[in-house]
Amino acid sequence: MSVDPARFVLTLSCGDRRGIVAAVANCIASQGCNIVESAQYGDPDSGRFFMRVSFSGLPDTSVESFSRGFEPVATAYDLNWKLHDLRVKPRVMILVSKMGHCLNDLLYRNSIGQIPMDLVSVVSNHETMRRRVEGEGLPYHYIPMDGRTKAEQEGEILALIDEQKIDLVVLARYMQVLSDDMSARLAGRVINIHHSFLPSFKGAKPYHRAHERGVKLIGATAHYVTAELDEGPIIEQDVGRVDHSMSAEAMVAIGRDIENTVLARAVKFHIEHRVLLNDTRTVVFR
């Protein structure tokens, strides 16, 4: 019986200089591995070099054994690097409030295996989506404010994240602003989605306000959460055209569809280790 080869993704960044690609490729080959996919980018503004390499190895290749062989290259080029074993799926938690369109979309994509993740649980500050989530056989944790302080409510969520060994938290229209402390503790591990009207139309009913102003483009942005509200490094965006004949409700429907696809892409890019942080920006190897 044939045994499937081990599959890994190596991501790295460093100061740009000659020989990095050759050194990485030679090290991979010297350990009996075969490159399946490779992408790299040198940023002329920051002088940083970014690379993502997907490769297969022998069945007994492990993160530990490959890392030992790669360490001399990492030291020589002062690499900031990570090695990911694709046999281990990232553990994901979704946070949601009352609006379920992004949650529904992620639940469906998860059910057909479109995103290689282990969806562990859903947390909400409302009971609205319980039946939908439990219908998928997933745990649903209701953690409302209910007179508790924000720190207490977030403390319960953080305890669940630790207990369930969560790698990624997805805010699928979770209508609570994360505190600076929670944002810092989960840096690089939380993805949020919001409509594209920010900062022009903040607050309630942004699509209705955009309709009143005759907006012609609507869309969505998925980004990593930071202490700066809705200003974290952007992972993915998309837009759709609208015109004078469309009602505010029609614009809302279009916006929700875009939010679904943008969030799903962002989560997939992250799960597949295609996103590298470049200061306040991202490098996304599609």
Side-chain angles (χ1 to χ4, degrees), residues 41-48 278 281:
Y41 171 69
D43 182 8
D45 296 325
S46 66
R48 298 288 292 174
N278 183 16
R281 297 177 292 159

Side-chain angles (χ1 to χ4, degrees), residues 57-72:
L58 300 174
D60 61 349
T61 303
S62 66
V63 169
E64 293 75 18
S65 65
F66 183 88
S67 297
R68 285 193 297 271
F70 189 71
E71 192 61 45

Side-chain angles (χ1 to χ4, degrees), residues 41 46 48 97 112 120 134 155 174 180 182 215 241 279:
Y41 171 69
S46 66
R48 298 288 292 174
S97 290
I112 62 173
V120 178
E134 292 182 343
Y174 180 63
D180 291 356
M182 189 169 183
V215 165
R241 294 201 67 86
D279 194 16

Side-chain angles (χ1 to χ4, degrees), residues 13-18 20 46-49 77-79:
S13 65
C14 61
D16 202 356
R17 56 187 280 196
R18 295 180 192 169
I20 302 169
S46 66
R48 298 288 292 174
F49 176 82
Y77 288 90
D78 193 21
L79 303 182

Side-chain angles (χ1 to χ4, degrees), residues 25 76 114 119 195 221 242 252 255:
Q114 185 174 335
L119 182 50
H195 56 76
T221 295
V242 295
V252 168

Side-chain angles (χ1 to χ4, degrees), residues 1-7 56-61 87:
M1 182 187 300
S2 62
V3 179
D4 291 336
R7 285 288 302 275
S56 61
L58 300 174
D60 61 349
T61 303
R87 293 169 293 190

Side-chain angles (χ1 to χ4, degrees), residues 10 12 19-29 35 51 53 70 73 79:
L10 172 67
L12 62 90
I20 302 169
V21 174
V24 170
N26 288 337
C27 183
I28 291 172
I35 293 176
M51 188 174 186
V53 186
F70 189 71
V73 175
L79 303 182

